[in-house]
Amino acid sequence: QVQLVESGGGLVQAGGSLRLSCAASGSISGINAMGWYRQAPGNEREVVARITSGGNTNYADSVKGRFTISRDNAKNTVYLQMNRLKPEDTAVYYCNVQRITILTTRNYWGQGTQVTVSL
C-alpha cells in the first residue's frame, strides 16, 4: 500500500499563488507517474498535471503557463506550484500516484485538499 499526505491548500485571492505538496510513504518501490487532479462541485474529476519518473510533464490546457508540476524522487514527493490563480481553479485537488509492480499497476489517491480562489 501507498499512503499519500497532501498539504498546501487554502484560500487565496485571484492572481495569487499556492503550492501543493504530496508525500508518498509505505510501499514506494515501483512508483511511476505522479500527478494532480481536481474536482469542482458538480463536475467530474479532471487531470491537472502529471509527471513521469523520468521528469516528463503534461498539463491541462486550462493551466498551461500558470501551473508547474515537479517531483523530488529522494523524498517521494510531488509538488504543484500554482500561479496566477483564477476563481475557476477553485476545487478539491487530489494527488495521484501510479505504482507498477510485476503483478499489477495500481493508482493511489490522496485525501484531497481544498483550493479556493476568491475574486
Side-chain angles (χ1 to χ4, degrees):
Q1 293 292 330
V2 176
Q3 292 79 46
L4 301 174
V5 178
E6 302 164 358
S7 61
L11 173 65
V12 65
Q13 287 189 327
S17 298
L18 284 173
R19 189 191 194 207
L20 305 182
S21 299
C22 173
S25 62
S27 300
I28 58 175
S29 63
I31 285 180
N32 186 30
M34 306 178 82
W36 292 93
Y37 290 68
R38 68 186 180 187
Q39 188 168 18
N43 290 352
E44 294 186 354
R45 191 173 297 188
E46 62 178 5
V47 62
V48 176
R50 289 178 61 81
I51 183 168
T52 67
S53 57
N56 293 318
T57 60
N58 59 76
Y59 297 90
D61 288 342
S62 59
V63 307
K64 284 181 180 177
R66 300 188 298 122
F67 292 9
T68 302
I69 189 170
S70 60
R71 63 191 284 173
D72 184 333
N73 290 329
K75 296 181 178 179
N76 300 302
T77 300
V78 62
Y79 306 96
L80 186 67
Q81 178 67 44
M82 305 185 292
N83 298 327
R84 292 186 282 132
L85 282 159
K86 304 176 181 180
E88 51 263 44
D89 294 319
T90 296
V92 178
Y93 283 69
Y94 297 91
C95 174
N96 170 268
V97 166
Q98 180 191 63
R99 181 172 181 257
I100 299 175
T101 67
I102 293 176
L103 297 176
T104 187
T105 298
R106 288 192 63 180
N107 281 285
Y108 297 87
W109 295 92
Q111 78 281 5
T113 184
Q114 177 71 46
V115 171
T116 303
V117 184
S118 64
L119 289 170

